[in-house]
Amino acid sequence: MSNLSDNNDPVRCQSEGSTQPHLLSLPGRRSVLGAGLTISRLLPQTQLRMIGPWCFLDHIGPVTLGDDQMIDVAPHPHTALQTATWMIEGELLHKDSLGYEQVIRPGQLNLMTAGHGISHSEQSPKDRSTAVHGVQFWIALPAAHKDIAPAFQHIAELPQRHYGAARVTVFVGELDGMRSPATVHSPMVGAELFAETECSLTLTLQPEFEHALMVTAGAASLGTETLAMDALHALGGGRDTLTLSLAANSRLMLIGGTPFAHPVLMWWNFVGHSDAEIRQALHDWEHSERFGTVSAYEKNTRLQAPVLNDGTRLRQ
Ligand code: MN
């Protein structure tokens, strides 16, 4: 997806850096995009910019599209990040400047590595469900990998394990001995937790990671705390286990990683490690072939970047 925020200020993103467990619950900001699509933005937030390398998190829907409504996000660029898309209901069609065209369905992963630069579109496929519910994450690339060649991976079969009535699927990184085949560039975990019936779930965590949870369906609690929907629940660091109480048919996303070594800048759809990198990416989107062309996109349009004034100071 594209960052359609009307707040055009650059955001300085730094991970929480916590080494102690805690619970900080921050509500998302819900907004309506085109085609009646509602999203809730859980990261970045004023009080919390990153969880490990995770720098952007949108909860998409749940929404039921009318017969004449289609998701259609025109080609737009990304740099220095990976986008991870996870559907809970419905499908999305990804097309990119490397020539990939891929429908993603629930339980699968689309992982796009922008590195030096890529452009992509996201649409409802022609033969699509009316229900749309999913999550899109951005993962910042560390300095040593920010300019790597762009890449795209679709993974239909991900490592999964049952813990009693709970089912855990690891889509990136590693959790409790399960490792996703997705290519990532810093230590992290991204997993979905699903409860078939009401149950308690205990997971082994890496204490050097900071973690966060979001509830996408049902109801869950951590100790005596109920975890609200459409909120990011930052758990801090230093946890080697996590025990959750889950109602039947609950779904949660668990993300984590080692605190990111350095702050990154986010402006529009770009992650950068300096003011100059962001301005160069903007210049190149408007005046060069750096981001290629999404040849499979039917219309001769693409997203225009917002204005970045010369005087706006992007701080790192
Ligand atoms: Mn995008």
Side-chain angles (χ1 to χ4, degrees):
M1 294 277 168
S2 173
N3 184 0
L4 301 175
S5 165
D6 53 7
N7 179 350
N8 193 16
D9 293 336
V11 173
R12 181 177 186 262
C13 294
Q14 188 162 22
S15 61
E16 200 183 14
S18 340
T19 54
Q20 295 300 314
H22 62 242
L23 178 63
L24 173 65
S25 298
L26 300 168
R29 279 168 293 128
R30 195 152 269 278
S31 56
V32 179
L33 304 185
L37 185 65
T38 59
I39 60 120
S40 183
R41 177 141 316 149
L42 302 178
L43 273 179
Q45 302 219 15
T46 308
Q47 299 163 71
L48 181 61
R49 301 302 197 184
M50 295 174 86
I51 299 289
W54 303 86
C55 61
F56 180 100
L57 200 176
D58 268 356
H59 183 196
I60 305 162
V63 68
T64 303
L65 297 176
D67 289 340
D68 56 345
Q69 288 180 314
M70 306 283 275
I71 295 168
D72 188 357
V73 182
H76 58 275
H78 290 290
T79 52
L81 57 82
Q82 295 180 292
T83 63
T85 309
W86 179 262
M87 299 306 290
I88 297 159
E89 277 186 287
E91 308 84 19
L92 268 184
L93 171 60
H94 160 96
K95 297 174 181 172
D96 68 36
S97 53
L98 300 177
Y100 288 97
E101 280 190 60
Q102 180 67 55
V103 174
I104 181 175
R105 302 179 199 287
Q108 306 178 340
L109 172 71
N110 271 6
L111 183 71
M112 183 180 78
T113 302
H116 185 63
I118 197 168
S119 55
H120 74 145
S121 62
E122 287 160 298
Q123 298 165 285
S124 303
K126 285 201 172 56
D127 189 15
R128 51 101 167 129
S129 323
T130 51
V132 176
H133 188 195
V135 186
Q136 190 171 77
F137 305 91
W138 295 0
I139 302 163
L141 288 170
H145 296 90
K146 66 185 170 62
D147 282 317
I148 57 175
F152 178 79
Q153 257 184 310
H154 172 78
I155 302 175
E157 297 283 329
L158 291 157
Q160 204 169 71
R161 186 186 299 158
H162 283 84
Y163 295 72
R167 187 181 71 213
V168 175
T169 308
V170 179
F171 60 91
V172 297
E174 190 171 5
L175 176 65
D176 212 355
M178 289 177 279
R179 174 174 278 280
S180 165
T183 302
V184 291
H185 300 279
S186 60
M188 73 182 75
V189 61
E192 186 187 61
L193 321 178
F194 174 68
E196 288 160 0
T197 57
E198 183 180 340
C199 63
S200 166
L201 168 64
T202 297
L203 291 170
T204 300
L205 301 183
Q206 301 199 46
E208 65 274 24
F209 283 10
E210 49 190 12
H211 290 93
L213 288 164
M214 68 177 285
V215 181
T216 59
S221 55
L222 173 63
T224 56
E225 299 287 337
T226 299
L227 303 178
M229 292 259 283
D230 269 342
L232 186 77
H233 304 284
L235 303 175
R239 290 181 191 262
D240 49 21
T241 61
L242 175 67
T243 299
L244 296 164
S245 301
L246 306 174
N249 297 311
S250 297
R251 281 180 195 275
L252 289 83
M253 307 303 296
L254 169 70
I255 57 172
T258 48
F260 212 61
H262 43 79
V264 295
L265 294 168
M266 267 177 61
W267 183 81
W268 191 42
N269 293 310
F270 302 129
V271 166
H273 291 242
S274 69
D275 179 293
E277 283 180 13
I278 298 274
R279 290 180 190 276
Q280 186 68 50
L282 172 59
H283 174 273
D284 291 347
W285 175 240
E286 292 174 341
H287 301 290
S288 87
E289 296 302 313
R290 171 174 169 184
F291 297 97
T293 302
V294 185
S295 309
Y297 189 71
E298 299 83 356
K299 293 176 248 171
N300 187 27
T301 56
R302 58 184 212 157
L303 296 188
Q304 297 296 311
V307 172
L308 178 58
N309 293 320
D310 287 347
T312 302
R313 189 158 165 69
L314 301 169
R315 285 177 303 112
Q316 192 176 25

